[in-house]
Amino acid sequence: MVYGPRQVGKTYVVEKFGREEYDSFIEINFFLHPELKTIFDGSLEASEIYKRISANISGVDFIPGKTLIFLDEIQECPNARTALKFLAIDNRYDVVASGSLLGLHYKQIASIPVGYEKIVEMYSLDFEEFLWANGYSEEAVLILKSYFEKREKVPEVINQKYLHLFKEYMVVGGMPEAVNAYLESSSYQTAHEVQKKILASYHDDIAKYASVPEKQKINDCYNSIPRQLAAEYKKFQYKAVSASGSARKYTGSLDWLCDAGFVRKVKNVSLAEFPLKAYEIENEFKIYITDTGLLTAMYGFELQASLLKDSLKGHAKGGIYENAIFEMFLKKGRHVNYYKVQGNSQEIEFVFDKDASAVPVEVKSNQGSTVSLNSFMKKYKPPVAYKLINGNLGVVENKISIPHYMAMFL
């Protein structure tokens, strides 16, 4: 089961894999061909499903051990999700399913095939994949990693090049269509137009799949995120969504956006010690968008241009850099929290568990002092602490400053 937000390339990847690796590739797209849902009406025995596939799709060829059945947009056919259990038990043919908004459709499924499907979450391109798309080799990334591992400064010409590439990544993002548009046209404006189209499709999903009472509230929550990330303190506040905002009014709307894969929560912790999950504060959290390119597009093209020229100032810049670093952690599969004591202005943007310790990460959009990080280190004495900067690598005892792009190695 490959799932993730719309337009991250799930269908493309599975189709390419299926056509290159199998002698027979059978594809059923329930969104393009809703009439094929009838294949999963009635008995869900594997042999009966195969018969109905043969009856409804011409030219299919079932070759044991050499056939891949691809059930795309499976959220449109709840019975197909239930049938995965019986197809897995039968095991004559390989099956890959793909879908978006799966967290919103589980109530329609008679029986979720727990234990019979391997879940693979797919995101838009991460920064390393963005580098590959721009023609940089895996070897080039390994060279960067060697500087990180040896705690050596990166030659300044190379460092400046990758700092700029990271700014490009924050503007173009990782949505495949936006990246392709940029690479083919060498135009940030063209990529921005694609991003606007993707954002419009997300609002279409809200209109299509959300309940009538929730539609406007979900849109209001989503549209408030750029404003909230541009605030001095970026904790999500329901009153910033609307004057009458409250947890009771908007919790369901925010959960919808999380289930759809559009956003993620990062929770504050009352104590920055291992294991961090034990100290999470349920109702104190930040919200980040899962593709920073889409976030910058929500601000508008003028901001994107300012970000590229490094002329952007203010709290919005810090929020964008935070979002980009969170995105790098997310796509590595690393769970992170943040740490802020109530009544204290100091904050550590990210904390994560490693080797039974809580490792702090302070994010600076430029360079700046590290008052919060110094205070954290004095109190908790972590084995290592990171400061992410728009600069080069440096080490002072166990505090390591690294350029933003090196967050992919944390």
Side-chain angles (χ1 to χ4, degrees):
M1 172 63 71
V2 180
Y3 81 100
R6 289 200 185 280
Q7 302 191 52
V8 295
K10 299 184 296 296
T11 300
Y12 173 83
V13 166
V14 178
E15 284 180 347
K16 186 172 178 64
F17 171 71
R19 297 188 192 285
E20 291 183 358
E21 300 294 329
Y22 289 82
D23 293 346
S24 177
F25 178 63
I26 302 169
E27 182 174 6
I28 301 173
N29 186 311
F30 296 111
F31 187 81
L32 291 177
H33 298 285
E35 71 278 7
L36 296 181
K37 295 178 190 177
T38 58
I39 290 171
F40 294 89
D41 290 343
S43 170
L44 294 182
E45 287 185 30
S47 58
E48 294 300 314
I49 291 171
Y50 302 146
K51 288 177 188 176
R52 292 195 289 265
I53 290 175
S54 297
N56 283 273
I57 304 174
S58 61
V60 298
D61 192 9
F62 288 97
I63 307 170
K66 298 180 180 180
T67 298
L68 178 67
I69 301 170
F70 177 31
L71 306 177
D72 199 9
E73 302 285 1
I74 198 171
Q75 76 278 357
E76 301 289 334
C77 184
N79 282 350
R81 182 80 183 276
T82 299
L84 292 178
K85 172 180 178 178
F86 307 107
L87 296 175
I89 291 170
D90 178 78
N91 201 32
R92 272 180 281 175
Y93 314 109
D94 292 346
V95 180
V96 173
S98 173
S100 305
L101 310 171
L102 292 179
L104 308 174
H105 293 268
Y106 71 94
K107 291 180 182 177
Q108 303 168 19
I109 301 168
S111 175
I112 293 176
V114 177
Y116 293 92
E117 58 180 7
K118 178 180 179 180
I119 303 291
V120 177
E121 187 167 8
M122 186 169 170
Y123 306 101
S124 59
L125 277 70
D126 64 20
F127 181 59
E128 183 175 359
E129 292 165 330
F130 181 78
L131 292 177
W132 298 344
N134 277 273
Y136 292 85
S137 66
E138 293 182 53
E139 287 74 21
V141 176
L142 288 174
I143 290 170
L144 282 182
K145 190 174 184 180
S146 71
Y147 290 114
F148 170 78
E149 291 174 338
K150 291 184 288 187
R151 306 293 190 249
E152 292 180 358
K153 283 188 180 296
V154 182
E156 200 51 42
V157 173
I158 297 174
N159 186 52
Q160 289 300 321
K161 176 172 58 175
Y162 283 101
L163 285 171
H164 182 73
L165 282 164
F166 188 69
K167 292 182 180 71
E168 285 191 351
Y169 180 64
M170 289 190 290
V171 168
V172 176
M175 301 302 284
E177 188 180 356
V179 175
N180 279 337
Y182 166 65
L183 294 176
E184 290 171 3
S185 65
S186 299
S187 166
Y188 298 110
Q189 182 73 60
T190 302
H192 179 71
E193 292 303 315
V194 171
Q195 290 168 330
K196 288 199 297 184
K197 185 180 75 171
I198 293 170
L199 288 168
S201 76
Y202 282 9
H203 287 290
D204 288 344
D205 280 340
I206 294 170
K208 179 177 179 181
Y209 293 109
S211 64
V212 173
E214 288 292 320
K215 292 180 194 294
Q216 189 58 52
K217 291 190 288 183
I218 294 168
N219 275 307
D220 289 345
C221 272
Y222 194 49
N223 292 333
S224 80
I225 294 170
R227 295 196 306 274
Q228 302 217 36
L229 286 176
E232 183 175 1
Y233 298 115
K234 297 168 177 61
K235 171 190 165 186
F236 187 85
Q237 299 183 61
Y238 295 103
K239 66 182 180 182
V241 179
S242 71
S244 61
S246 65
R248 183 177 180 181
K249 183 175 182 180
Y250 286 113
T251 293
S253 306
L254 204 53
D255 288 344
W256 194 101
L257 289 168
C258 291
D259 287 340
F262 297 172
V263 305
R264 285 287 191 277
K265 287 182 181 180
V266 173
K267 296 177 183 177
N268 192 11
V269 287
S270 57
L271 197 62
E273 292 184 353
F274 176 84
L276 289 166
K277 275 184 175 286
Y279 307 106
E280 288 182 341
I281 305 171
E282 193 63 30
N283 61 350
E284 287 186 27
F285 54 86
K286 299 180 187 180
I287 293 290
Y288 296 106
I289 288 177
T290 52
D291 185 273
T292 305
L294 294 182
L295 170 64
T296 59
M298 292 172 78
Y299 286 113
F301 183 70
E302 197 170 335
L303 176 137
Q304 290 181 321
S306 298
L307 191 60
L308 285 165
K309 292 183 287 189
D310 208 18
S311 61
L312 182 64
K313 304 194 184 301
H315 298 304
K317 183 178 182 180
I320 291 165
Y321 272 88
E322 264 191 52
N323 200 101
I325 300 304
F326 164 73
E327 184 186 351
M328 295 172 89
F329 284 129
L330 173 70
K331 292 175 178 179
K332 282 179 65 72
R334 185 178 285 289
H335 178 84
V336 292
N337 295 95
Y338 76 99
Y339 177 67
K340 186 178 191 312
V341 178
Q342 203 166 31
N344 189 325
S345 63
Q346 295 176 6
E347 178 182 305
I348 300 297
E349 283 79 12
F350 300 108
V351 194
F352 63 87
D353 287 328
K354 186 177 182 183
D355 299 331
S357 297
V359 176
V361 178
E362 188 167 20
V363 181
K364 297 290 185 183
S365 56
N366 289 307
Q367 295 200 39
S369 60
T370 57
V371 175
S372 297
L373 190 59
N374 292 343
S375 176
F376 183 99
M377 294 174 72
K378 185 176 180 181
K379 179 177 182 179
Y380 287 103
K381 298 178 173 51
V384 64
Y386 293 99
K387 174 186 175 185
L388 303 187
I389 59 172
N390 187 33
N392 210 324
L393 193 148
V395 181
V396 178
E397 296 179 346
N398 63 331
K399 180 169 67 176
I400 304 170
S401 298
I402 58 173
H404 297 112
Y405 61 82
M406 281 192 177
M408 62 181 169
F409 304 134
L410 293 180

